[in-house]
Amino acid sequence: MAIASPSTPSFSASFCCARSKSPPFSRFSSVSFAHRVVQPHPLAPRLAVSSRLNSSKPSGPGGSVSPDNGDLHQYELYHKFSPQLRRRGPPVFVTLPVDTVGPAGKLRRPKAMSQSFRALVAAGVEGVVMEVWWGLVEREEPRVYDWQGYLELVALARRSGLKVRAVMAFHVCGTGPGDPYWIPLPLWVLEEIDKDPDLAYSDRFGRRNMEYISLGCDILPVLRGRSPIQAYTDFMRNFRETFRPFLGVIITGIQVGLGPAGELRYPSCPSQKLQWAWRSRELGEFQCYDKYMLASLNACARKIGMREWGNGGPIGAGNLMQNPEHTEFFRSGDGSWNTPYGNFFLEWYSGLLLLHGERICREAETIFRGTQVNTSAKVAGIHWHYGTQSHPSELTAGYYNTLNRDGYLLIARMFGRYGFSMCCTCFEMRDTEEKQMNPDSSPEGFLRQLLLAARVCDIPLEGENSAAGLDDDSFQQVLKMSKLYSNGLEKPSFSFNFMRMDKNMFEYQNWVRFTRFVRQMSDANIFGSKLGSGGDINLSSMLDATKDGLTFAYS
């Protein structure tokens, strides 16, 4: 039952979040856990790995040059784009289609994908982002992993001369079985959720969200004797052993999923709605009503002698579509978010999310230590109430970020403790456009705060667009916000993930704009300049690489 917000003297509830009291983290500290020894996938030893392509192979028939025949250097010169130019400025990666690896675990459309990779190389793209779905790899039984399709994909990237960033995707993709891009949690996990529905998040109305396992049971053995954290750890450890020959050579980055859509957040509203929720100003719902979350809240409230605060989330949070100024909890000035009770609840709620991120980041750092890969994690771009005092949609997602409290600095510090980069979205969005539909929205304000947190904590940044906008204005906005982070830093560490590759990307005008954008990002001398300046690359040569196969690659 939801409870009211009684008045009481102020205090801090941060100790209720069961934070670790261990000494400051060291990159060389050791964390040991018992794990079953897993042998690498049998295909892995057969895939020759080298930081350079095999130059002993002759060029193709008629002396043609392509990355598939081993002479990447000649291929790049042919397309007027040298590897030195690619490395001068922030590198650009392209996220692959969701269904690149199909439900059976096989690489789909390998010939068309090869053509796509050749075009990306010609454009000067550094690499691709490969989402590795828990629901595909460990689909049938616990600790039974099928990496076949991903091994083929990494081998294809190696032959093409592209780097790979792998996303450990522990969440659901799509809206349901009718969605062509539907990828559920592993079937054996769904069986456990059927037995115990409280493994899924729940809101005050009892609605379950199946996108990600509730962090309330992070360390409980609810998955056939393992905790969710142990299951994620075993998955990453098996990935490391299977792909070990590629790590630091072809696979240069690992992004660790921490929640719905891979982001460190609660599923305050379904992920598919986040692309347009700002249009309707949705507040979101607190996800604290499964029995595991309620048990934590109740214990925390009892510990401070306020039992009545531990029975559920705040009342007066309004309806999803309600104006926050018409709610008791979120309204400006005297809203209960800004009371001792509000501070207690929001510190507990956001503190558990931070603790969840810390647990997984600690495990990932231990697993990938010494592999020469960069690790990163993602923060959601929830900006549609950024112009209000209480930031309600951020609060329900687990970001305790308000007019008088910086919630992102704590997240950036947590990432920094484990050597993680921070990935954030909204780089292409502009306030002038968003405010026409929602005056409270401010993607640029949100992003500036996040960029400042990354700079203060001295952590690398990965930018990302929230929608596949291929217009010049969107690309120019990405350049502007990218420079905002890098400006004044002696050694800025920034890269950009373009979301995502599809058939529209290879249409002539879109391709022209995209390749020009990659050129401007990659060339340090014109980085941040306006689109259209700095000269053009040989676009006709690049487009030649896309003629065969790409028109039907994504149909």
Side-chain angles (χ1 to χ4, degrees):
M1 181 177 104
I3 49 92
S5 311
S7 175
T8 193
S10 61
F11 63 94
S12 172
S14 59
F15 62 87
C16 294
C17 299
R19 293 188 175 277
S20 171
K21 300 297 183 181
S22 57
F25 179 80
S26 167
R27 294 282 294 189
F28 303 100
S29 63
S30 175
V31 182
S32 61
F33 294 87
H35 292 284
R36 185 178 65 89
V37 177
V38 184
Q39 294 299 321
H41 192 285
L43 179 60
R46 300 201 301 269
L47 297 174
V49 180
S50 173
S51 60
R52 298 180 60 186
L53 298 177
N54 185 352
S55 59
S56 64
K57 290 185 179 181
S59 61
S64 63
V65 180
S66 79
D68 290 326
N69 64 30
D71 202 336
L72 179 61
H73 180 64
Q74 290 185 39
Y75 184 74
E76 289 174 321
L77 292 179
Y78 175 78
H79 290 296
K80 314 296 185 186
F81 209 102
S82 70
Q84 288 79 11
L85 181 59
R86 284 221 316 259
R87 289 193 293 268
R88 284 168 62 184
V92 174
F93 288 74
V94 174
T95 303
L96 297 177
V98 169
D99 62 344
T100 298
V101 174
K106 305 298 181 184
L107 178 63
R108 302 184 65 216
R109 304 181 294 261
K111 292 184 179 179
M113 191 61 62
S114 178
Q115 293 285 349
S116 301
F117 281 12
R118 293 175 62 190
L120 294 179
V121 170
V125 168
E126 180 78 8
V128 294
V129 179
M130 172 183 77
E131 291 160 316
V132 183
W133 295 99
W134 186 28
L136 295 182
V137 175
E138 200 178 352
R139 176 183 174 86
E140 302 290 343
E141 297 291 336
R143 296 189 178 93
V144 178
Y145 307 97
D146 179 8
W147 304 102
Q148 178 72 31
Y150 296 105
L151 284 163
E152 294 173 6
L153 188 57
V154 172
L156 179 60
R158 177 187 63 84
R159 291 195 300 271
S160 303
L162 290 170
K163 304 298 184 184
V164 173
R165 283 178 171 169
V167 178
M168 304 288 102
F170 299 119
H171 59 281
V172 162
C173 178
T175 58
D179 190 326
Y181 300 114
W182 171 242
I183 302 175
L185 296 176
L187 298 181
W188 60 273
V189 172
L190 295 178
E191 291 175 1
E192 298 306 309
I193 295 178
D194 286 339
K195 298 174 187 175
D196 182 4
D198 284 291
L199 297 182
Y201 285 110
S202 178
D203 65 15
R204 57 183 168 149
F205 301 108
R207 295 175 297 195
R208 303 285 180 181
N209 186 291
M210 303 286 286
E211 293 184 61
Y212 190 81
I213 298 175
S214 170
L215 61 80
C217 57
D218 263 356
I219 58 175
L220 302 177
V222 294
L223 298 180
R224 299 190 185 181
R226 290 188 298 168
S227 70
I229 297 295
Q230 288 174 326
Y232 305 148
T233 300
D234 288 344
F235 184 91
M236 291 188 289
R237 193 180 301 277
N238 194 269
F239 177 90
R240 181 200 64 191
E241 294 307 311
T242 302
F243 290 85
R244 185 183 290 275
F246 299 102
L247 296 178
V249 182
I250 305 302
I251 300 175
T252 57
I254 302 289
Q255 186 180 117
V256 182
L258 300 177
E263 298 164 337
L264 179 65
R265 64 174 175 85
Y266 292 100
S268 50
C269 60
S271 291
Q272 70 269 15
K273 298 176 71 175
L274 291 184
Q275 295 296 327
W276 54 268
W278 50 270
R279 297 179 187 272
S280 58
R281 312 179 192 183
E282 187 162 318
L283 301 179
E285 289 285 351
F286 289 109
Q287 303 293 309
C288 59
Y289 290 88
D290 65 77
K291 68 182 182 184
Y292 301 106
M293 293 290 288
L294 284 175
S296 173
L297 177 60
N298 185 264
C300 187
R302 286 173 177 268
K303 192 169 184 177
I304 62 168
M306 300 295 293
R307 295 187 179 187
E308 64 272 26
W309 288 1
N311 297 323
I315 64 170
N319 299 317
L320 282 176
M321 315 302 289
Q322 192 170 352
N323 184 330
E325 293 304 319
H326 299 161
T327 69
E328 177 185 338
F329 190 77
F330 295 122
R331 67 185 177 220
S332 302
D334 63 344
S336 52
W337 64 272
N338 199 26
T339 64
Y341 164 73
N343 181 61
F344 159 79
F345 177 81
L346 294 171
E347 280 202 2
W348 168 81
Y349 190 68
S350 63
L352 281 189
L353 186 66
L354 276 171
L355 181 59
H356 171 74
E358 187 138 2
R359 285 166 172 161
I360 299 180
C361 289
R362 180 172 60 240
E363 297 287 357
E365 193 283 331
T366 302
I367 291 168
F368 295 109
R369 185 186 303 161
T371 60
Q372 304 303 311
V373 300
N374 298 314
T375 50
S376 66
K378 189 175 179 181
V379 175
I382 299 178
H383 54 80
W384 40 97
H385 290 107
Y386 191 84
T388 67
Q389 290 188 18
S390 62
H391 297 220
S393 48
E394 292 167 76
L395 297 185
T396 56
Y399 303 142
Y400 190 2
N401 186 62
T402 65
L403 178 69
N404 47 28
R405 189 181 192 277
D406 189 335
Y408 298 113
L409 189 59
L410 293 174
I411 296 174
R413 284 173 179 164
M414 185 268 289
F415 288 160
R417 282 197 294 274
Y418 299 98
F420 270 54
S421 303
M422 182 165 65
C423 179
C424 54
T425 185
C426 297
F427 266 73
E428 89 288 7
M429 303 186 77
R430 297 177 294 279
D431 280 1
T432 53
E433 288 188 356
E434 306 308 315
K435 287 182 179 295
Q436 292 178 10
M437 293 167 281
N438 179 3
D440 292 332
S441 175
S442 180
E444 291 185 57
F446 153 78
L447 192 53
R448 286 191 189 96
Q449 183 179 352
L450 218 59
L451 299 185
L452 179 60
R455 287 179 61 121
V456 168
C457 296
D458 194 24
I459 61 175
L461 191 71
E462 295 177 12
E464 195 170 279
N465 51 311
S466 57
L470 290 157
D471 58 285
D472 283 344
D473 288 341
S474 294
F475 285 135
Q476 185 169 349
Q477 182 69 11
V478 172
L479 290 166
K480 170 187 170 183
M481 300 309 291
S482 302
K483 189 175 182 180
L484 183 63
Y485 168 79
S486 303
N487 191 33
L489 294 180
E490 183 177 352
K491 294 182 178 179
S493 181
F494 178 79
S495 59
F496 186 76
N497 301 330
F498 177 78
M499 290 280 289
R500 70 177 64 231
M501 188 168 78
D502 60 14
K503 61 182 179 181
N504 294 325
M505 178 179 176
F506 294 103
E507 293 179 359
Y508 181 83
Q509 290 299 330
N510 290 337
W511 185 245
V512 168
R513 286 188 284 265
F514 175 74
T515 52
R516 187 183 297 127
F517 162 72
V518 174
R519 166 75 179 268
Q520 291 185 307
M521 285 288 285
S522 300
D523 189 343
N525 291 330
I526 58 173
F527 178 56
S529 65
K530 292 184 178 180
L531 291 174
S533 65
D536 288 327
I537 52 180
N538 193 336
L539 295 174
S540 60
S541 296
M542 291 184 181
L543 288 165
D544 286 342
T546 72
K547 287 180 179 178
D548 298 325
L550 294 183
T551 56
F552 57 84
Y554 305 97
S555 60

